[in-house]
Amino acid sequence: MARFRRISGTSRALALLLIIGAVPAACTATKPAAQPRVQAGKPNVVMVMTDDQWLDSMRFMPNVQRILGLGGVTFDRYYASFPLCCPSRSTFLSGQLAHNNGVRHNAAPLGGYDKLDEDNTLPVWMQRAGYVTSHIGKYPNGYGKSDETHVPPGWDEWRGSVDPTTYDMYGYRLNENGTMRTYGDSWVQDPNLYQTDVYRDKGIDFINRRSAEGKPFFLSLAFLAPHGENVHGAPDNGDFFRVGRGPRPALRHQGAFSAEQVPNDPSYDEADMSDKPQFLRDYPAIAANTDTEITESYRLRLESLLAVDEAVQRLVDALRANGQLENTYLLFASDNGFFFGQHRVPTGKFLPHEASAHVPLLIRGPGLEAGMHARELSANTDLTATIVDIGQAEPTLPLDGRSLLPFAQDPRLRTGRPLLHEAGEGAFRTPVRPGAPGDSGASAEDVSVGLAAGAGDLDQDGTASPGPGKPRDDHSQVLDAAYEAIRTGRYLYIRYVSGAHELYDLAIDPHELASKHEDVRYAEVRAFLDARLDELQGCQGVACGEDVPPAPQPK
């Protein structure tokens, strides 16, 4: 268990009480209860998750900011452990990092929904704890491909989108408790069938119906926005690096951000890439046409979030009208972020850099002081542990995260726990060592995931991702982007399977412009982080939450 460190003068006794309160969420495997344990007065949980939403976009969501930000606690340093849709969502459902749950990609054979142990997931645990459970919207990638009528265990009410129609704002198909239903036509923009609004109304209907039953409920509402759509593929121009077009906003929001520009981040179209791995140096400087495509994608994605922002307001209105708002924890988060030209990457995610890994998390609920900001490092593994803690549920897997309730209740709390990022071949319990595919227990397919990312496919979203375009002439330059990385309060250190490294001192370089991995002044820092990363790579359960001492100072 990580040790709390306070940066103001509140008593140690309160900190110890908070630690004790957090212990049930950082559990080891336990035998499931034979019957649900219903306890009066348990709070409801509403989890709203967006797709590919980057941190800065939150300034365009006034309702979420007011209701959950000013009305709750914002976690300023919340990260996706593996910034890719299916691995991230599988971590949320399992409470485990990719090297423990085995979901290392969006699609088979390395990942996809079928890789997830669906019998040991958050909804199963919440249902056993006496909750009425409901999921609406996107599930881990590949859900429904092998059996579109399958209802995953743990959900009393199931309205899951079936791939590949998950990525259509119109014409999508839902499995509604085992019955298939299609909503409109992909090419007809019927305002009554816009995906975000339909999901919103189904969530409100669930709240209205279940509020009078006297049982706590757990609602998981997973919007596609601001993820791109199937119907908007990139032009087939043979260009290797392409920009994924944004989704269609609701008709009422089209053009709302027609003048908005991509933020002038110093890492946008980074001038000097000499400190970066080869696969990043291979990205050309952003040309005028690419800049235009990035801006168009950025505007569409922002506009798609306006319907999500309205949906959060409507959900809160329903909770208030039913007398449930003060007994409900509302959580808002994204599965991963997105690149818009940072470090010359025009589109995608996958990497542990700020653009793709740093994502929003806001929590509002009973006992939480409004308008607070928590600065503790946190990750999507913690999201699972937090909901388990709220529901007093009993996981049947060792959780790699810990409850964030103590940090939400007292945002001044700090620990020295680092975070692990991992992707592809890096998502194994043994440290990555450059060399043949089998050196770290990985298969050739595992390596291919990193190769695809290194070759420019940082979406890796299957049918929702543009094709790879024409192959490069010099295949020796296609290096592996699979990695393992450690994040501390000050540093981000990345080891790639290819043998490349990056080390950023975020205290002086928050935009990740100058890697220090070859800087002799940071030699002791790198050695320290190497050793800590070796330990963290194989962690399981509470071992993933251990404090580490501060890294040595640069010379």
Side-chain angles (χ1 to χ4, degrees), residues 227-305:
H227 195 290
E229 278 193 84
N230 281 332
V231 295
H232 284 307
D236 188 14
N237 57 10
D239 194 6
F240 198 86
F241 298 110
R242 299 174 173 181
V243 177
R245 184 176 169 89
R248 287 170 291 183
L251 287 173
R252 63 188 180 276
H253 297 138
Q254 289 182 7
F257 295 118
S258 59
E260 195 65 38
Q261 298 299 315
V262 176
N264 188 22
D265 185 325
S267 66
Y268 184 86
D269 195 17
E270 189 172 344
D272 182 2
M273 297 285 286
S274 61
D275 62 311
K276 300 295 188 288
Q278 184 66 50
F279 78 91
L280 285 175
R281 295 202 301 271
D282 283 344
Y283 280 97
I286 293 174
N289 63 326
T290 303
D291 181 81
T292 299
E293 292 173 359
I294 292 171
T295 301
E296 179 183 346
S297 173
Y298 178 75
R299 291 169 177 171
L300 289 171
R301 292 170 192 269
L302 283 180
E303 289 170 1
S304 74
L305 285 170

Side-chain angles (χ1 to χ4, degrees), residues 140-156:
N141 301 54
Y143 166 74
K145 285 190 173 180
S146 58
D147 180 4
E148 65 178 14
T149 63
H150 172 68
V151 176
W155 298 110
D156 294 299

Side-chain angles (χ1 to χ4, degrees), residues 55-141:
L55 184 64
D56 182 66
S57 65
M58 289 302 299
R59 62 192 173 97
F60 299 95
M61 303 186 76
N63 291 324
V64 175
Q65 288 280 40
R66 175 176 50 81
I67 295 167
L68 286 94
L70 295 178
V73 180
T74 301
F75 283 79
D76 293 328
R77 305 172 79 186
Y78 175 76
Y79 291 85
S81 57
F82 186 160
L84 190 63
C85 296
C86 189
S88 179
R89 290 168 188 268
S90 297
T91 288
F92 165 63
L93 290 168
S94 67
Q96 293 191 323
L97 294 157
H99 71 258
N100 287 325
N101 66 34
V103 182
R104 299 190 301 277
H105 189 33
N106 274 348
L110 305 176
Y113 174 67
D114 291 340
K115 277 284 186 179
L116 180 67
D117 179 6
E118 64 175 14
D119 292 318
N120 288 295
T121 55
L122 179 60
V124 175
W125 307 330
M126 294 295 280
Q127 191 181 62
R128 288 173 178 160
Y131 277 76
V132 177
T133 60
S134 172
H135 176 80
I136 300 166
K138 181 174 179 175
Y139 220 49
N141 301 54

Side-chain angles (χ1 to χ4, degrees), residues 412-437:
R412 296 168 295 180
L413 295 178
R414 297 287 189 276
T415 76
R417 179 193 70 161
L419 301 181
L420 175 70
H421 296 287
E422 54 187 2
E425 190 186 357
F428 280 82
R429 293 180 182 175
T430 53
V432 164
R433 295 288 181 256

